[in-house]
Amino acid sequence: NRDAFYFGYNDSMMFRKSLDYVEAMDMNLPRFELYITLSAHEDMEANNDYQKNKKQRYERKIMQMINSMPADKQKVKKENLLKLASLNYADDCLRDFFARYSHLPSFQHTIFVITGDHASGRELKNDLSYHHVPVVIWSPLLQRKETFHAVVSHNDVTPSLVELLKNKYGLQSGHTIHWIED
């Protein structure tokens, strides 16, 4: 497949195929979906002409952005051109995913959790900053935005959401869980 590379499928293909499946499902059933995007994990891959054209488009786009920056900021950005192109591509894929998902009946009662497995590895201030990864929790149900400046682990996300849904909305969960409760 023209979108495949050594880790798996690029984001555009993965989101497109996943949403084809979701659109065909019974949207009234509760479910959990996990998407692991790969495009921002490494520098953009280009294994064929299709990917090379896509890669060159994103590189040109990022170079235009870099060239509009102050000269003192351009050097480090140019050194990270391929990574920045990958991140920009991943952003576009997420934007397309949300645009398409917003037309599904389940969109209005869905909670989206977006995070990464580690930092980009570029422009790190210190060794610990490699593990600084933002978590975005978003839903059309949210009434206000909030920013929490706290140190947490990926392991905290699921138990926190499950407890919130159990306590506030009566979520019924199984008797066996894979995390430790107080």
Side-chain angles (χ1 to χ4, degrees):
N1 187 304
R2 67 183 187 184
D3 281 331
F5 73 117
Y6 72 97
F7 268 166
Y9 288 98
N10 285 328
D11 292 359
S12 61
M13 173 61 82
M14 186 263 307
F15 283 133
R16 191 169 51 250
K17 289 292 190 186
S18 297
L19 284 172
D20 287 347
Y21 176 76
V22 169
E23 288 170 339
M25 292 175 55
D26 178 357
M27 299 307 291
N28 293 320
L29 296 174
R31 67 184 185 283
F32 173 81
E33 297 168 31
L34 173 67
Y35 300 94
I36 300 176
T37 68
L38 303 173
S39 299
H41 202 268
E42 298 289 333
D43 293 341
M44 277 188 94
E45 292 287 324
N47 298 329
N48 56 47
D49 289 340
Y50 173 77
Q51 289 177 338
K52 286 177 186 164
N53 289 336
K54 185 183 341 180
K55 180 179 176 183
Q56 289 169 350
R57 254 190 351 263
Y58 278 95
E59 287 175 17
R60 282 192 301 273
K61 183 178 175 182
I62 295 300
M63 275 308 294
Q64 289 175 340
M65 295 166 79
I66 291 171
N67 289 333
S68 69
M69 295 177 168
D72 63 322
K73 304 253 185 217
Q74 290 184 16
K75 182 178 185 250
V76 71
K77 300 296 183 195
K78 286 179 181 177
E79 291 170 356
N80 295 302
L81 175 65
L82 296 178
K83 184 62 172 180
L84 294 171
S86 296
L87 293 170
N88 192 257
Y89 168 73
D91 283 350
D92 283 351
C93 292
L94 279 169
R95 187 177 298 106
D96 293 345
F97 169 79
F98 280 109
R100 187 171 163 193
Y101 207 112
S102 69
H103 297 291
L104 298 175
S106 62
F107 180 76
Q108 293 302 319
H109 52 84
T110 298
I111 299 169
F112 297 92
V113 179
I114 303 167
T115 190
D117 60 342
H118 56 75
S120 68
R122 312 295 171 128
E123 302 179 49
L124 299 176
K125 295 175 186 158
N126 57 46
D127 290 342
L128 188 58
S129 61
Y130 180 75
H131 302 285
H132 180 253
V133 181
V135 173
V136 176
I137 300 173
W138 184 85
S139 173
L141 299 168
L142 295 176
Q143 297 175 1
R144 63 178 165 55
K145 67 178 185 175
E146 189 73 40
T147 300
F148 299 92
H149 298 281
V151 177
V152 297
S153 165
H154 289 85
N155 296 335
D156 298 323
V157 175
T158 301
S160 298
L161 284 174
V162 168
E163 285 304 309
L164 170 73
L165 294 171
K166 282 168 63 175
N167 293 329
K168 292 243 181 201
Y169 302 101
L171 173 74
Q172 300 295 314
S173 63
H175 298 290
T176 305
I177 55 174
H178 72 277
W179 60 84
I180 299 173
E181 288 189 293
D182 293 304

